Amino acid sequence: MPRTSRQKSATKVYHVILRGNAKQDIFLDNQDFSKFIKEICNTKEKYQYELYVYCLMTNHVHLILYDKNDNLSKALQSLTVSYSSYWNKKYERVGHLFQNRFLSKNVETAEYLKNVCRYIHQNPEKAGITKMENYHWSSYQEYINEAKIIDKKQILLLFQNDETEAIKDFKNFHLANIEKEDMQDFMEYEMTPKLNDEQATLYIKKILGIENLQEIANYDRIKRNNLLKKLKDVPGISKVQIGRLTGLSAKIVQRITE
């Protein structure tokens, strides 16, 4: 499959994932975590982006940032190069620490922003490490207590205007489970670079041999299901995206392609 070009977000908000090369660990002790946080602060100051959410896991990093000056690639290159230099010197290693191409997904709606925020903060629990409120290397504690490196105002405004009440709603929202189709979308994004809608439309048309994807919703159930099953293992296209492009609900697509 061809390598896809990055699409700019209309909101300038992005969900970014940085992963260790060949899934290797990029944090081996607390000093490493602290160093990465310090480098985030350095790049924030230099490139003037706002950091909404972060979570540092052993072999990957989640960030949600507002790239107001369109410096996403430069900022992340600076961040990874600086940290890699530290890491290689400390552990007497050479070569790439991170995968060459970071993953970035446009965050275009408030609802998606809330859900991906929760998904990121729940990472330590999903990995069986500890409860999210006890995990030291994510932004969750900064939302509940004092902000240290994040810019939390915009996220809290998604819940309420009053900060105290917004934090209560934020905590309750994070305790709820993520919808299955949303979880699938997040997981597929982590596993493979995702095609944008235009690229996905062309790819699906080629696989299914049809010209108008919206017609699928009008097919009889058997014909519709047989077509959708052909998309079961297509890389780079999520179930939510298939539903959006075909006019079907994500739940229907999920059930048919499981």
Side-chain angles (χ1 to χ4, degrees), residues 7-55:
Q7 302 295 313
K8 286 190 176 181
S9 168
T11 64
K12 297 192 176 185
V13 179
Y14 299 89
H15 173 200
V16 172
I17 298 179
L18 304 170
R19 291 198 293 213
N21 195 30
K23 299 183 180 181
Q24 74 176 85
D25 288 347
I26 54 179
F27 305 111
L28 301 185
D29 60 25
N30 286 341
Q31 183 185 36
D32 295 346
F33 284 109
S34 296
K35 175 63 175 177
F36 194 87
I37 294 293
K38 182 178 179 180
E39 294 301 336
I40 288 177
C41 294
N42 290 339
T43 55
K44 274 191 68 184
E45 181 177 355
K46 182 176 181 179
Y47 293 101
Q48 296 296 299
Y49 63 82
E50 294 182 7
L51 181 66
Y52 291 166
V53 178
Y54 70 89
C55 185

Side-chain angles (χ1 to χ4, degrees), residues 104-121:
S104 65
K105 176 165 183 162
N106 299 356
V107 179
E108 305 287 11
T109 67
E111 192 63 26
Y112 186 85
L113 179 55
K114 288 172 64 176
N115 280 313
V116 73
C117 175
R118 174 171 59 185
Y119 169 75
I120 290 172
H121 285 147

Side-chain angles (χ1 to χ4, degrees), residues 25 86 89 92 117 134 141 176 189 229 232:
D25 288 347
Y86 150 84
K89 182 178 180 180
E92 299 180 345
C117 175
N134 296 329
Q141 290 186 3
Y189 162 55
K229 286 176 182 178
K232 179 177 180 180

Side-chain angles (χ1 to χ4, degrees), residues 24-137:
Q24 74 176 85
D25 288 347
I26 54 179
F27 305 111
L28 301 185
D29 60 25
N30 286 341
Q31 183 185 36
D32 295 346
F33 284 109
S34 296
K35 175 63 175 177
F36 194 87
I37 294 293
K38 182 178 179 180
E39 294 301 336
I40 288 177
C41 294
N42 290 339
T43 55
K44 274 191 68 184
E45 181 177 355
K46 182 176 181 179
Y47 293 101
Q48 296 296 299
Y49 63 82
E50 294 182 7
L51 181 66
Y52 291 166
V53 178
Y54 70 89
C55 185
L56 313 186
M57 302 294 284
T58 305
N59 64 359
H60 69 282
V61 172
H62 288 275
L63 305 170
I64 298 180
L65 55 86
Y66 171 55
D67 179 33
K68 55 185 176 181
N69 293 326
D70 295 324
N71 285 323
L72 181 67
S73 293
K74 291 180 180 179
L76 293 175
Q77 181 182 30
S78 177
L79 174 61
T80 55
V81 167
S82 297
Y83 181 76
S84 296
S85 177
Y86 150 84
W87 201 91
N88 285 340
K89 182 178 180 180
K90 176 180 177 179
Y91 295 108
E92 299 180 345
R93 298 287 298 274
V94 294
H96 296 292
L97 177 62
F98 293 93
Q99 285 185 355
N100 287 337
R101 195 166 189 251
F102 62 87
L103 296 178
S104 65
K105 176 165 183 162
N106 299 356
V107 179
E108 305 287 11
T109 67
E111 192 63 26
Y112 186 85
L113 179 55
K114 288 172 64 176
N115 280 313
V116 73
C117 175
R118 174 171 59 185
Y119 169 75
I120 290 172
H121 285 147
Q122 288 182 353
N123 257 229
E125 287 193 23
K126 301 295 184 183
I129 299 173
T130 187
K131 291 184 178 297
M132 60 184 167
E133 60 265 28
N134 296 329
Y135 192 64
H136 187 63
W137 304 110

